[in-house]
Amino acid sequence: MITDVRSSYNSYSSMFNTTGNAAAPEPPVGPAEPSAPRTLPTNPNGMGRDEFLKMLVAQMKNQDPLNPMDGKDMAAQLAQFSTVEQLISMNKSLEEQKSAATEMKDAILSLEQTQNERADELAQLIEGQMAMATVGKTGVTPGNNAWVDKEGNGTLVVDAGSLSGTGRITMINSKGEAVGQAIVGAVKPGQASFNVGDYEFEPPLEPGQYTYKFDVAKDGGLFQSATTYTAGRITGMKYENGNPILIIGDSLAVPMSQLTQIRA
């Protein structure tokens, strides 16, 4: 029996003998290659309800039976799970509110745009009706145009500002030539209107369209220019780009917004 055991021992020793003829393995040459860093799976959306519940169940399954989880720890874990549930629900509610707010904002903007378009259409309609109502009346706008009819009448509107004294009217034809002058009596400061037919021009004015100058001199001093306006009968109305344009006299086109006065 002892012989058999010793024989077996010798057989096993020869299998693990490193001092025999077999060459020992040579040690590695050079620095050891660094091992690749370990990567853990990540959830791009963060830990959700299902992941948290699975982790909690796995922790309970694999706890040490001889040292189970404390009741307080269990309560804390469940409280954390409840908090996660509430946060998920709150986040979902906030997302729904955000979506509803965006839809409401878009609806308000659309309604505002529609109201603005309707307001513009209504304003154009009202302005057009007002423009039609001015036809046949006298319109006043900045300028120096004047019309003389067959009876020699024509309206001039001037603003002397602070000037006062003797006034002078100079009528100019389409060629830029002065074709007549008339002296006006006492002119007071401020705005006033004059009828060409009330003054004598030499030679008499022919019917037609003119431009004019109005000057004022005080106590024989130098004449100074006053502000002039175009005043004439509104003979028609047309639209350009949706805006009403008034026709004063025969052909002068003036936007209604440029009128400063409308006279009967």
Side-chain angles (χ1 to χ4, degrees), residues 34-215:
S35 59
R38 298 180 61 190
T39 58
L40 298 176
T42 59
N43 185 354
N45 298 323
M47 180 179 291
R49 175 181 55 190
D50 295 339
E51 290 81 4
F52 186 86
L53 185 59
K54 289 179 180 178
M55 184 183 70
L56 180 61
V57 171
Q59 182 180 2
M60 295 176 64
K61 279 184 175 181
N62 296 284
Q63 64 181 332
D64 186 357
L66 300 179
N67 185 22
M69 184 183 299
D70 186 67
K72 293 182 180 180
D73 293 339
M74 177 71 70
Q77 295 281 5
L78 293 176
Q80 291 179 8
F81 177 73
S82 177
T83 302
V84 169
E85 283 275 359
Q86 293 176 7
L87 290 175
I88 293 174
S89 178
M90 184 182 300
N91 183 62
K92 182 178 179 181
S93 178
L94 290 175
E95 289 293 334
E96 292 176 352
Q97 291 180 8
K98 180 180 178 181
S99 177
T102 301
E103 293 177 359
M104 182 177 295
K105 179 181 178 181
D106 293 340
I108 291 174
L109 291 177
S110 177
L111 178 61
E112 183 179 358
Q113 182 179 359
T114 302
Q115 289 178 339
N116 290 336
E117 292 174 354
R118 296 295 180 269
D120 292 340
E121 293 175 358
L122 180 60
Q124 290 181 353
L125 178 61
I126 294 174
E127 192 174 14
Q129 292 177 344
M130 292 175 62
M132 287 296 296
T134 64
V135 175
K137 298 181 180 180
T138 299
V140 180
T141 184
N144 64 340
N145 291 281
W147 288 266
V148 178
D149 60 19
K150 295 179 180 179
E151 287 76 26
N153 295 316
T155 302
L156 307 180
V157 178
V158 300
D159 189 345
S162 60
L163 300 175
S164 63
T166 302
R168 182 180 66 186
I169 303 172
T170 302
M171 302 297 289
I172 303 168
N173 64 14
S174 60
K175 297 179 181 180
E177 302 170 340
V179 294
Q181 281 189 344
I183 299 299
V184 180
V187 176
K188 297 180 180 180
Q191 191 177 95
S193 61
F194 304 91
N195 181 14
V196 174
D198 294 339
Y199 306 97
E200 293 183 3
F201 289 86
E202 275 302 326
L205 298 174
E206 296 291 332
Q209 182 176 350
Y210 297 84
T211 57
Y212 73 100
K213 291 177 58 180
F214 195 94
D215 304 308

